[in-house]
Amino acid sequence: MEIYEKAPAKINLGLDVLYKRADDYHELKMVMASVDLADHLKIESLPTDEIIVTSNKAFLPVDKRNNVYQAAEILKKRYQIQKGVKITIEKRIPVAAGLGGGSSDCAAALRGLNRLWDLGLSMDELIEIGMQVGTDVPFCLHGTTAKISGKGEIVEPIVSMPQCWVVLVKPRISVSTRKIFQIVDATQLEHVPIDDLIAAIEAQDYQAMIANMGNNLESVTIQKYPVVQKMKDKMLKFGADVAMMSGSGPTVFALCQKYSRAQRIYNALKGFCEEVYLVRTLP
């Protein structure tokens, strides 16, 4: 039996780090949306009792360091699955980019294995398992547009963000989310108006949405990696409606209502970076 799952990338329309919790995680308030840049997973049964993960990207670890492998291992142990599985990951989302690629792959694997092994797990059960792998997994299980709080486990879907074009650019660096959060001082951050952002999205008011977008991790990442600010500046110079870092970076995205403007930004940035994508938001 073979099952196919799509694993879309995410962008942060709003990211507000509120404070450091007693469990050493940070309390977050965010708005995330899925975009039409995705990895693809093929999940198939094996006659032998083993987990095999393969990928089209040679640099991607396919052992216990891989989020997909971890998800399969947790399910096998918890539900005493005596069957094997092979999961093939076709990577299109840049790695260590702030786009949630590893988390989305994990979510896709959980959805697919739930079907393959006929486990009948609810969304809440999948989220609880996914949180053992990564804090972006709960959103990736839901997808579309949502408000996220806690350390990432509380996901409240909202109406999809207004449709627009998205230009994504990943500079030639990788950023560790863990290391960025290690140096964050939440008391020094300027907070993002997440509630106003959500109200704008629910009203489908594009101009109000972009006016209230923000990511207060930008100041932390840009201090270590100034190229992020340079990419933002170039996007705005070439006509972006708004330009912002996604997650802990380093990927920067621009939103445009007009395709011609998005195409111009895409073409201009191809001269500066290899990894540039022009996609739509997902309804």
Side-chain angles (χ1 to χ4, degrees), residues 29-268:
K29 197 172 181 182
M30 302 183 287
V31 177
M32 291 186 189
S34 301
V35 298
D36 197 18
L37 171 67
D39 295 342
H40 294 264
L41 275 65
K42 181 171 78 169
I43 304 169
E44 50 193 321
S45 297
L46 288 179
T48 52
D49 188 8
E50 60 182 328
I51 300 169
I52 298 175
V53 177
T54 65
S55 173
N56 61 322
K57 299 294 185 183
F59 59 80
L60 190 74
V62 291
D63 53 16
K64 291 178 183 288
R65 294 171 292 171
N66 186 284
N67 288 358
V68 166
Y69 191 105
Q70 293 169 26
E73 189 171 53
I74 291 169
L75 286 178
K76 275 180 64 63
K77 287 181 179 178
R78 178 174 292 196
Y79 299 102
Q80 301 179 333
I81 305 297
Q82 304 299 315
K83 306 168 186 175
V85 65
K86 179 181 179 182
I87 305 175
T88 304
I89 308 170
E90 182 187 346
K91 284 296 293 181
R92 296 181 184 176
I93 303 170
V95 175
L99 296 173
S103 294
S104 194
D105 292 346
C106 175
L110 288 171
R111 289 193 302 266
L113 291 169
N114 192 29
R115 292 161 54 202
L116 183 74
W117 291 334
D118 198 23
L119 298 175
L121 299 176
S122 67
M123 179 63 75
D124 286 345
E125 289 171 314
L126 290 174
I127 284 174
E128 185 271 320
I129 294 165
M131 276 297 291
Q132 297 178 47
V133 181
T135 55
D136 281 343
V137 177
F139 167 75
C140 294
L141 283 162
H142 279 278
T144 64
T145 306
K147 173 187 174 184
I148 297 94
S149 53
K151 55 187 179 183
E153 78 280 15
I154 305 170
V155 181
E156 302 171 60
I158 59 176
V159 64
S160 295
M161 67 177 287
Q163 283 279 281
C164 57
W165 296 93
V166 185
V167 182
L168 301 157
V169 57
K170 181 188 179 287
R172 294 171 184 165
I173 56 171
S174 294
V175 173
S176 165
T177 299
R178 179 176 57 84
K179 290 180 179 178
I180 292 297
F181 272 103
Q182 283 176 348
I183 60 174
V184 165
D185 181 356
T187 63
Q188 300 299 311
L189 299 178
E190 184 176 340
H191 292 296
V192 179
I194 298 293
D195 292 340
D196 292 341
L197 173 59
I198 292 170
I201 292 170
E202 289 179 336
Q204 293 293 285
D205 186 335
Y206 180 81
Q207 294 301 326
M209 179 185 77
I210 64 174
N212 288 290
M213 287 170 55
N215 177 347
N216 64 6
L217 284 181
E218 279 188 347
S219 59
V220 183
T221 300
I222 287 170
Q223 190 170 0
K224 288 179 66 68
Y225 305 100
V227 67
V228 172
Q229 184 65 54
K230 290 178 182 177
M231 289 299 111
K232 283 186 63 178
D233 293 343
K234 287 183 186 298
M235 286 177 155
L236 293 170
K237 177 184 175 182
F238 293 127
D241 296 333
V242 65
M244 199 172 89
M245 185 180 81
S246 185
S248 57
T251 297
V252 180
F253 67 91
L255 300 185
C256 299
Q257 281 189 305
K258 294 181 179 179
Y259 174 75
S260 58
R261 190 171 291 182
Q263 184 70 55
R264 184 170 70 207
I265 297 168
Y266 171 82
N267 291 337

